[in-house]
């Protein structure tokens, strides 16, 4: 798993409704503020979290996100692990291509999220759902 380090804080937020997507954004922002991430760092991790939470709900049929604060030497990070119960991602490389969408969106969610974080990993298999893990370091 990406994001080596000691877990200082951890919580799990369910993603079952659009209100949960809002809650994920709020929890991630509060965590970033609490740990003194800059406003730019906050915006990047919150934007990535919002896109990935929406994907978890819309394409993954719901799931959850594990929110963890990491310490690795002198650096601090936030790791988000989104897990869903959906059909999985058949072609990860294609899903990361800007402009590709399996739904009605613009096709910028996964690729855009990847550009907003320092570490990004997708694990998926057909009919077994997907797990997307991201880390943003301070």
């Amino acid at each position: 798993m990406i994001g080596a380090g000691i877990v200082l804080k951890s919580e799990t937020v369910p993603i079952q409704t659009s209100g949960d997507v809002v809650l994920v954004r709020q929890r991630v922002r509060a965590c970033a503020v609490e740990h003194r991430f800059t406003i730019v760092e906050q915006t990047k991790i919150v934007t990535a979290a919002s896109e990935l939470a929406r994907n978890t709900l819309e394409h993954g049929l719901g799931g959850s996100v594990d929110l963890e604060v990491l310490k690795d030497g002198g650096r601090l990070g936030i790791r988000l692990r989104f897990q869903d119960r959906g059909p999985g991602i058949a072609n990860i490389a294609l899903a990361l291509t800007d402009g590709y969408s399996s739904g009605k969106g613009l096709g910028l969610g996964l690729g855009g999220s990847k550009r907003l974080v320092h570490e990004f990993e997708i694990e998926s298999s057909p009919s077994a759902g997907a797990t997307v893990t991201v880390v943003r370091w301070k």
Side-chain angles (χ1 to χ4, degrees), residues 10-28 49-50 52-58 60-67 80-85:
S10 177
E11 74 174 288
T12 300
V13 180
I15 303 171
Q16 305 301 322
T17 68
S18 58
D20 294 335
V21 174
V22 174
L23 180 61
V24 168
R25 287 178 60 91
Q26 292 170 340
R27 296 302 307 133
V28 171
S50 181
L52 295 171
R54 188 176 338 281
N55 282 353
T56 299
L57 179 62
E58 292 178 4
L61 310 175
S64 64
V65 60
D66 296 325
L67 165 61
L80 306 172
R81 184 181 314 108
F82 293 85
Q83 298 173 310
D84 69 44
R85 301 184 293 273

mmCIF file of all heavy atoms in Angstrom, residues 10-28 49-50 52-58 60-67 80-85:
data_model
loop_
_atom_site.group_PDB
_atom_site.id
_atom_site.type_symbol
_atom_site.label_atom_id
_atom_site.label_comp_id
_atom_site.label_asym_id
_atom_site.label_seq_id
_atom_site.Cartn_x
_atom_site.Cartn_y
_atom_site.Cartn_z
ATOM 1 N N SER A 10 -7.067 8.001 12.438
ATOM 2 C CA SER A 10 -7.784 7.251 11.418
ATOM 3 C C SER A 10 -9.281 7.316 11.667
ATOM 4 O O SER A 10 -9.720 7.278 12.819
ATOM 5 C CB SER A 10 -7.313 5.788 11.451
ATOM 6 O OG SER A 10 -8.030 5.021 10.519
ATOM 7 N N GLU A 11 -10.052 7.427 10.595
ATOM 8 C CA GLU A 11 -11.503 7.333 10.696
ATOM 9 C C GLU A 11 -12.040 6.814 9.378
ATOM 10 O O GLU A 11 -11.408 6.963 8.330
ATOM 11 C CB GLU A 11 -12.149 8.671 11.058
ATOM 12 C CG GLU A 11 -12.191 9.694 9.946
ATOM 13 C CD GLU A 11 -12.977 10.944 10.329
ATOM 14 O OE1 GLU A 11 -14.218 10.871 10.411
ATOM 15 O OE2 GLU A 11 -12.329 11.982 10.540
ATOM 16 N N THR A 12 -13.205 6.184 9.433
ATOM 17 C CA THR A 12 -13.874 5.675 8.242
ATOM 18 C C THR A 12 -15.184 6.420 8.075
ATOM 19 O O THR A 12 -15.942 6.580 9.033
ATOM 20 C CB THR A 12 -14.128 4.156 8.366
ATOM 21 O OG1 THR A 12 -12.864 3.492 8.509
ATOM 22 C CG2 THR A 12 -14.837 3.616 7.135
ATOM 23 N N VAL A 13 -15.429 6.873 6.836
ATOM 24 C CA VAL A 13 -16.663 7.592 6.521
ATOM 25 C C VAL A 13 -17.408 6.789 5.462
ATOM 26 O O VAL A 13 -16.855 6.529 4.383
ATOM 27 C CB VAL A 13 -16.364 9.014 5.998
ATOM 28 C CG1 VAL A 13 -17.650 9.754 5.680
ATOM 29 C CG2 VAL A 13 -15.508 9.790 6.991
ATOM 30 N N PRO A 14 -18.651 6.374 5.727
ATOM 31 C CA PRO A 14 -19.424 5.652 4.717
ATOM 32 C C PRO A 14 -19.825 6.583 3.578
ATOM 33 O O PRO A 14 -20.009 7.789 3.786
ATOM 34 C CB PRO A 14 -20.655 5.159 5.485
ATOM 35 C CG PRO A 14 -20.761 6.054 6.661
ATOM 36 C CD PRO A 14 -19.384 6.541 6.979
ATOM 37 N N ILE A 15 -19.956 6.026 2.390
ATOM 38 C CA ILE A 15 -20.397 6.792 1.218
ATOM 39 C C ILE A 15 -21.582 6.043 0.613
ATOM 40 O O ILE A 15 -21.403 5.082 -0.145
ATOM 41 C CB ILE A 15 -19.258 6.950 0.188
ATOM 42 C CG1 ILE A 15 -18.034 7.611 0.829
ATOM 43 C CG2 ILE A 15 -19.741 7.754 -1.028
ATOM 44 C CD1 ILE A 15 -16.798 7.605 -0.044
ATOM 45 N N GLN A 16 -22.794 6.468 0.998
ATOM 46 C CA GLN A 16 -24.020 5.813 0.531
ATOM 47 C C GLN A 16 -24.969 6.777 -0.167
ATOM 48 O O GLN A 16 -25.860 6.347 -0.893
ATOM 49 C CB GLN A 16 -24.755 5.161 1.712
ATOM 50 C CG GLN A 16 -23.917 4.185 2.512
ATOM 51 C CD GLN A 16 -23.389 3.029 1.682
ATOM 52 O OE1 GLN A 16 -24.075 2.523 0.809
ATOM 53 N NE2 GLN A 16 -22.157 2.627 1.944
ATOM 54 N N THR A 17 -24.813 8.085 0.095
ATOM 55 C CA THR A 17 -25.702 9.100 -0.463
ATOM 56 C C THR A 17 -24.875 10.313 -0.899
ATOM 57 O O THR A 17 -23.699 10.436 -0.521
ATOM 58 C CB THR A 17 -26.734 9.583 0.585
ATOM 59 O OG1 THR A 17 -26.035 10.317 1.614
ATOM 60 C CG2 THR A 17 -27.499 8.427 1.214
ATOM 61 N N SER A 18 -25.504 11.224 -1.631
ATOM 62 C CA SER A 18 -24.799 12.440 -2.035
ATOM 63 C C SER A 18 -24.423 13.282 -0.823
ATOM 64 O O SER A 18 -23.417 13.994 -0.842
ATOM 65 C CB SER A 18 -25.635 13.250 -3.024
ATOM 66 O OG SER A 18 -26.870 13.588 -2.459
ATOM 67 N N GLY A 19 -25.211 13.189 0.243
ATOM 68 C CA GLY A 19 -24.861 13.880 1.478
ATOM 69 C C GLY A 19 -23.563 13.360 2.071
ATOM 70 O O GLY A 19 -22.806 14.128 2.689
ATOM 71 N N ASP A 20 -23.274 12.079 1.874
ATOM 72 C CA ASP A 20 -22.018 11.508 2.360
ATOM 73 C C ASP A 20 -20.824 12.059 1.590
ATOM 74 O O ASP A 20 -19.735 12.211 2.149
ATOM 75 C CB ASP A 20 -22.040 9.977 2.259
ATOM 76 C CG ASP A 20 -23.056 9.342 3.176
ATOM 77 O OD1 ASP A 20 -23.418 9.958 4.207
ATOM 78 O OD2 ASP A 20 -23.512 8.219 2.869
ATOM 79 N N VAL A 21 -21.019 12.372 0.301
ATOM 80 C CA VAL A 21 -19.941 12.975 -0.485
ATOM 81 C C VAL A 21 -19.577 14.334 0.121
ATOM 82 O O VAL A 21 -18.402 14.666 0.272
ATOM 83 C CB VAL A 21 -20.345 13.115 -1.972
ATOM 84 C CG1 VAL A 21 -19.283 13.884 -2.760
ATOM 85 C CG2 VAL A 21 -20.578 11.733 -2.589
ATOM 86 N N VAL A 22 -20.587 15.092 0.509
ATOM 87 C CA VAL A 22 -20.359 16.382 1.174
ATOM 88 C C VAL A 22 -19.631 16.163 2.496
ATOM 89 O O VAL A 22 -18.687 16.883 2.827
ATOM 90 C CB VAL A 22 -21.691 17.131 1.391
ATOM 91 C CG1 VAL A 22 -21.481 18.393 2.219
ATOM 92 C CG2 VAL A 22 -22.347 17.457 0.058
ATOM 93 N N LEU A 23 -20.052 15.165 3.259
ATOM 94 C CA LEU A 23 -19.414 14.859 4.540
ATOM 95 C C LEU A 23 -17.938 14.487 4.347
ATOM 96 O O LEU A 23 -17.078 14.912 5.128
ATOM 97 C CB LEU A 23 -20.158 13.737 5.263
ATOM 98 C CG LEU A 23 -19.590 13.325 6.618
ATOM 99 C CD1 LEU A 23 -19.602 14.494 7.594
ATOM 100 C CD2 LEU A 23 -20.381 12.144 7.174
ATOM 101 N N VAL A 24 -17.635 13.718 3.316
ATOM 102 C CA VAL A 24 -16.241 13.363 3.029
ATOM 103 C C VAL A 24 -15.427 14.634 2.796
ATOM 104 O O VAL A 24 -14.341 14.803 3.361
ATOM 105 C CB VAL A 24 -16.136 12.407 1.822
ATOM 106 C CG1 VAL A 24 -14.687 12.273 1.348
ATOM 107 C CG2 VAL A 24 -16.711 11.041 2.178
ATOM 108 N N ARG A 25 -15.949 15.542 1.976
ATOM 109 C CA ARG A 25 -15.249 16.807 1.724
ATOM 110 C C ARG A 25 -14.991 17.552 3.037
ATOM 111 O O ARG A 25 -13.886 18.048 3.276
ATOM 112 C CB ARG A 25 -16.084 17.706 0.808
ATOM 113 C CG ARG A 25 -16.151 17.287 -0.628
ATOM 114 C CD ARG A 25 -17.052 18.237 -1.426
ATOM 115 N NE ARG A 25 -16.576 19.596 -1.383
ATOM 116 C CZ ARG A 25 -15.731 20.136 -2.266
ATOM 117 N NH1 ARG A 25 -15.274 19.409 -3.263
ATOM 118 N NH2 ARG A 25 -15.355 21.394 -2.150
ATOM 119 N N GLN A 26 -16.009 17.633 3.883
ATOM 120 C CA GLN A 26 -15.882 18.356 5.153
ATOM 121 C C GLN A 26 -14.850 17.708 6.067
ATOM 122 O O GLN A 26 -14.042 18.400 6.696
ATOM 123 C CB GLN A 26 -17.239 18.417 5.858
ATOM 124 C CG GLN A 26 -18.252 19.279 5.149
ATOM 125 C CD GLN A 26 -19.653 19.139 5.722
ATOM 126 O OE1 GLN A 26 -19.987 18.163 6.406
ATOM 127 N NE2 GLN A 26 -20.503 20.118 5.425
ATOM 128 N N ARG A 27 -14.872 16.381 6.169
ATOM 129 C CA ARG A 27 -13.936 15.676 7.056
ATOM 130 C C ARG A 27 -12.491 15.820 6.560
ATOM 131 O O ARG A 27 -11.565 15.997 7.340
ATOM 132 C CB ARG A 27 -14.306 14.195 7.193
ATOM 133 C CG ARG A 27 -15.649 13.940 7.865
ATOM 134 C CD ARG A 27 -15.760 14.530 9.278
ATOM 135 N NE ARG A 27 -14.663 14.113 10.113
ATOM 136 C CZ ARG A 27 -13.947 14.934 10.894
ATOM 137 N NH1 ARG A 27 -14.247 16.212 10.976
ATOM 138 N NH2 ARG A 27 -12.957 14.470 11.610
ATOM 139 N N VAL A 28 -12.302 15.717 5.244
ATOM 140 C CA VAL A 28 -10.954 15.855 4.686
ATOM 141 C C VAL A 28 -10.449 17.280 4.886
ATOM 142 O O VAL A 28 -9.304 17.493 5.287
ATOM 143 C CB VAL A 28 -10.918 15.434 3.204
ATOM 144 C CG1 VAL A 28 -9.581 15.776 2.564
ATOM 145 C CG2 VAL A 28 -11.209 13.935 3.078
ATOM 146 N N ALA A 49 -10.553 14.239 -3.108
ATOM 147 C CA ALA A 49 -11.480 13.466 -2.271
ATOM 148 C C ALA A 49 -12.905 13.565 -2.790
ATOM 149 O O ALA A 49 -13.636 12.568 -2.828
ATOM 150 C CB ALA A 49 -11.414 13.952 -0.824
ATOM 151 N N SER A 50 -13.313 14.744 -3.205
ATOM 152 C CA SER A 50 -14.662 14.950 -3.721
ATOM 153 C C SER A 50 -14.900 14.118 -4.981
ATOM 154 O O SER A 50 -15.930 13.441 -5.113
ATOM 155 C CB SER A 50 -14.883 16.429 -4.012
ATOM 156 O OG SER A 50 -16.192 16.647 -4.485
ATOM 157 N N LEU A 52 -13.252 11.430 -6.002
ATOM 158 C CA LEU A 52 -13.188 9.995 -5.717
ATOM 159 C C LEU A 52 -14.399 9.522 -4.917
ATOM 160 O O LEU A 52 -14.894 8.413 -5.131
ATOM 161 C CB LEU A 52 -11.871 9.667 -5.012
ATOM 162 C CG LEU A 52 -10.630 9.914 -5.881
ATOM 163 C CD1 LEU A 52 -9.359 9.782 -5.052
ATOM 164 C CD2 LEU A 52 -10.602 8.988 -7.086
ATOM 165 N N ALA A 53 -14.912 10.362 -4.030
ATOM 166 C CA ALA A 53 -16.122 10.005 -3.284
ATOM 167 C C ALA A 53 -17.312 9.916 -4.232
ATOM 168 O O ALA A 53 -18.137 8.996 -4.144
ATOM 169 C CB ALA A 53 -16.390 11.028 -2.181
ATOM 170 N N ARG A 54 -17.406 10.859 -5.169
ATOM 171 C CA ARG A 54 -18.499 10.833 -6.146
ATOM 172 C C ARG A 54 -18.406 9.577 -7.016
ATOM 173 O O ARG A 54 -19.405 8.924 -7.296
ATOM 174 C CB ARG A 54 -18.461 12.096 -7.003
ATOM 175 C CG ARG A 54 -19.657 12.256 -7.915
ATOM 176 C CD ARG A 54 -19.687 13.557 -8.697
ATOM 177 N NE ARG A 54 -18.926 14.674 -8.187
ATOM 178 C CZ ARG A 54 -19.287 15.479 -7.188
ATOM 179 N NH1 ARG A 54 -20.414 15.262 -6.551
ATOM 180 N NH2 ARG A 54 -18.526 16.483 -6.820
ATOM 181 N N ASN A 55 -17.189 9.216 -7.439
ATOM 182 C CA ASN A 55 -17.009 7.980 -8.213
ATOM 183 C C ASN A 55 -17.418 6.756 -7.399
ATOM 184 O O ASN A 55 -18.028 5.825 -7.933
ATOM 185 C CB ASN A 55 -15.556 7.828 -8.660
ATOM 186 C CG ASN A 55 -15.211 8.683 -9.851
ATOM 187 O OD1 ASN A 55 -16.068 9.322 -10.451
ATOM 188 N ND2 ASN A 55 -13.937 8.724 -10.188
ATOM 189 N N THR A 56 -17.057 6.760 -6.117
ATOM 190 C CA THR A 56 -17.418 5.636 -5.244
ATOM 191 C C THR A 56 -18.926 5.462 -5.190
ATOM 192 O O THR A 56 -19.440 4.347 -5.253
ATOM 193 C CB THR A 56 -16.855 5.859 -3.825
ATOM 194 O OG1 THR A 56 -15.426 5.929 -3.898
ATOM 195 C CG2 THR A 56 -17.259 4.749 -2.872
ATOM 196 N N LEU A 57 -19.644 6.568 -5.108
ATOM 197 C CA LEU A 57 -21.101 6.528 -5.041
ATOM 198 C C LEU A 57 -21.723 6.180 -6.393
ATOM 199 O O LEU A 57 -22.540 5.257 -6.488
ATOM 200 C CB LEU A 57 -21.633 7.869 -4.546
ATOM 201 C CG LEU A 57 -23.153 7.999 -4.439
ATOM 202 C CD1 LEU A 57 -23.705 6.998 -3.430
ATOM 203 C CD2 LEU A 57 -23.532 9.419 -4.051
ATOM 204 N N GLU A 58 -21.335 6.900 -7.440
ATOM 205 C CA GLU A 58 -22.006 6.765 -8.733
ATOM 206 C C GLU A 58 -21.598 5.525 -9.516
ATOM 207 O O GLU A 58 -22.442 4.865 -10.111
ATOM 208 C CB GLU A 58 -21.755 8.008 -9.582
ATOM 209 C CG GLU A 58 -22.437 9.241 -9.006
ATOM 210 C CD GLU A 58 -22.165 10.502 -9.805
ATOM 211 O OE1 GLU A 58 -21.497 10.430 -10.866
ATOM 212 O OE2 GLU A 58 -22.627 11.565 -9.359
ATOM 213 N N GLY A 60 -19.328 3.046 -8.219
ATOM 214 C CA GLY A 60 -19.014 1.926 -7.345
ATOM 215 C C GLY A 60 -20.165 1.465 -6.486
ATOM 216 O O GLY A 60 -20.004 0.591 -5.638
ATOM 217 N N LEU A 61 -21.337 2.076 -6.664
ATOM 218 C CA LEU A 61 -22.549 1.675 -5.942
ATOM 219 C C LEU A 61 -22.432 1.857 -4.438
ATOM 220 O O LEU A 61 -23.064 1.145 -3.672
ATOM 221 C CB LEU A 61 -22.922 0.220 -6.282
ATOM 222 C CG LEU A 61 -22.962 -0.108 -7.774
ATOM 223 C CD1 LEU A 61 -23.221 -1.587 -7.972
ATOM 224 C CD2 LEU A 61 -23.992 0.745 -8.491
ATOM 225 N N GLY A 62 -21.619 2.803 -4.022
ATOM 226 C CA GLY A 62 -21.432 3.086 -2.599
ATOM 227 C C GLY A 62 -20.235 2.354 -2.030
ATOM 228 O O GLY A 62 -19.674 1.462 -2.660
ATOM 229 N N GLY A 63 -19.854 2.757 -0.855
ATOM 230 C CA GLY A 63 -18.699 2.158 -0.196
ATOM 231 C C GLY A 63 -18.292 2.991 0.988
ATOM 232 O O GLY A 63 -19.142 3.458 1.754
ATOM 233 N N SER A 64 -16.987 3.233 1.105
ATOM 234 C CA SER A 64 -16.485 4.013 2.237
ATOM 235 C C SER A 64 -15.112 4.580 1.897
ATOM 236 O O SER A 64 -14.496 4.190 0.911
ATOM 237 C CB SER A 64 -16.377 3.135 3.488
ATOM 238 O OG SER A 64 -15.419 2.105 3.271
ATOM 239 N N VAL A 65 -14.669 5.510 2.743
ATOM 240 C CA VAL A 65 -13.311 6.022 2.639
ATOM 241 C C VAL A 65 -12.669 5.932 4.019
ATOM 242 O O VAL A 65 -13.287 6.261 5.027
ATOM 243 C CB VAL A 65 -13.266 7.475 2.109
ATOM 244 C CG1 VAL A 65 -14.014 8.440 3.001
ATOM 245 C CG2 VAL A 65 -11.810 7.943 1.939
ATOM 246 N N ASP A 66 -11.451 5.443 4.049
ATOM 247 C CA ASP A 66 -10.631 5.458 5.260
ATOM 248 C C ASP A 66 -9.743 6.685 5.153
ATOM 249 O O ASP A 66 -9.005 6.846 4.179
ATOM 250 C CB ASP A 66 -9.762 4.208 5.368
ATOM 251 C CG ASP A 66 -10.585 2.942 5.502
ATOM 252 O OD1 ASP A 66 -11.651 2.989 6.136
ATOM 253 O OD2 ASP A 66 -10.163 1.900 4.946
ATOM 254 N N LEU A 67 -9.842 7.565 6.134
ATOM 255 C CA LEU A 67 -9.075 8.811 6.190
ATOM 256 C C LEU A 67 -8.021 8.637 7.269
ATOM 257 O O LEU A 67 -8.345 8.379 8.430
ATOM 258 C CB LEU A 67 -10.022 9.974 6.509
ATOM 259 C CG LEU A 67 -9.438 11.299 6.961
ATOM 260 C CD1 LEU A 67 -8.536 11.894 5.908
ATOM 261 C CD2 LEU A 67 -10.565 12.263 7.301
ATOM 262 N N LEU A 80 -6.057 8.663 1.817
ATOM 263 C CA LEU A 80 -7.469 8.362 1.637
ATOM 264 C C LEU A 80 -7.576 7.056 0.859
ATOM 265 O O LEU A 80 -6.996 6.931 -0.225
ATOM 266 C CB LEU A 80 -8.169 9.482 0.861
ATOM 267 C CG LEU A 80 -8.019 10.894 1.424
ATOM 268 C CD1 LEU A 80 -8.592 11.906 0.446
ATOM 269 C CD2 LEU A 80 -8.701 10.996 2.776
ATOM 270 N N ARG A 81 -8.324 6.094 1.400
ATOM 271 C CA ARG A 81 -8.523 4.810 0.729
ATOM 272 C C ARG A 81 -10.023 4.626 0.479
ATOM 273 O O ARG A 81 -10.794 4.379 1.399
ATOM 274 C CB ARG A 81 -7.987 3.647 1.556
ATOM 275 C CG ARG A 81 -8.100 2.309 0.835
ATOM 276 C CD ARG A 81 -7.586 1.120 1.650
ATOM 277 N NE ARG A 81 -6.313 1.369 2.283
ATOM 278 C CZ ARG A 81 -6.153 1.564 3.616
ATOM 279 N NH1 ARG A 81 -7.169 1.526 4.437
ATOM 280 N NH2 ARG A 81 -4.959 1.776 4.117
ATOM 281 N N PHE A 82 -10.432 4.791 -0.786
ATOM 282 C CA PHE A 82 -11.829 4.653 -1.189
ATOM 283 C C PHE A 82 -12.069 3.214 -1.637
ATOM 284 O O PHE A 82 -11.361 2.724 -2.508
ATOM 285 C CB PHE A 82 -12.152 5.598 -2.351
ATOM 286 C CG PHE A 82 -12.094 7.047 -1.964
ATOM 287 C CD1 PHE A 82 -10.892 7.733 -1.979
ATOM 288 C CD2 PHE A 82 -13.232 7.720 -1.572
ATOM 289 C CE1 PHE A 82 -10.830 9.074 -1.610
ATOM 290 C CE2 PHE A 82 -13.189 9.062 -1.202
ATOM 291 C CZ PHE A 82 -11.981 9.733 -1.224
ATOM 292 N N GLN A 83 -13.070 2.568 -1.040
ATOM 293 C CA GLN A 83 -13.412 1.193 -1.396
ATOM 294 C C GLN A 83 -14.880 1.156 -1.785
ATOM 295 O O GLN A 83 -15.717 1.730 -1.083
ATOM 296 C CB GLN A 83 -13.161 0.253 -0.216
ATOM 297 C CG GLN A 83 -11.699 0.239 0.195
ATOM 298 C CD GLN A 83 -11.466 -0.562 1.467
ATOM 299 O OE1 GLN A 83 -12.136 -0.373 2.466
ATOM 300 N NE2 GLN A 83 -10.505 -1.462 1.407
ATOM 301 N N ASP A 84 -15.177 0.483 -2.900
ATOM 302 C CA ASP A 84 -16.565 0.404 -3.325
ATOM 303 C C ASP A 84 -16.994 -1.038 -3.552
ATOM 304 O O ASP A 84 -16.189 -1.959 -3.455
ATOM 305 C CB ASP A 84 -16.810 1.273 -4.567
ATOM 306 C CG ASP A 84 -16.140 0.749 -5.828
ATOM 307 O OD1 ASP A 84 -16.204 -0.470 -6.095
ATOM 308 O OD2 ASP A 84 -15.564 1.552 -6.567
ATOM 309 N N ARG A 85 -18.283 -1.196 -3.863
ATOM 310 C CA ARG A 85 -18.876 -2.522 -4.068
ATOM 311 C C ARG A 85 -19.339 -2.718 -5.510
ATOM 312 O O ARG A 85 -20.146 -3.575 -5.801
ATOM 313 C CB ARG A 85 -20.082 -2.692 -3.146
ATOM 314 C CG ARG A 85 -19.773 -2.562 -1.685
ATOM 315 C CD ARG A 85 -20.993 -2.831 -0.845
ATOM 316 N NE ARG A 85 -22.032 -1.816 -0.995
ATOM 317 C CZ ARG A 85 -22.112 -0.703 -0.312
ATOM 318 N NH1 ARG A 85 -21.188 -0.406 0.577
ATOM 319 N NH2 ARG A 85 -23.102 0.147 -0.504
#
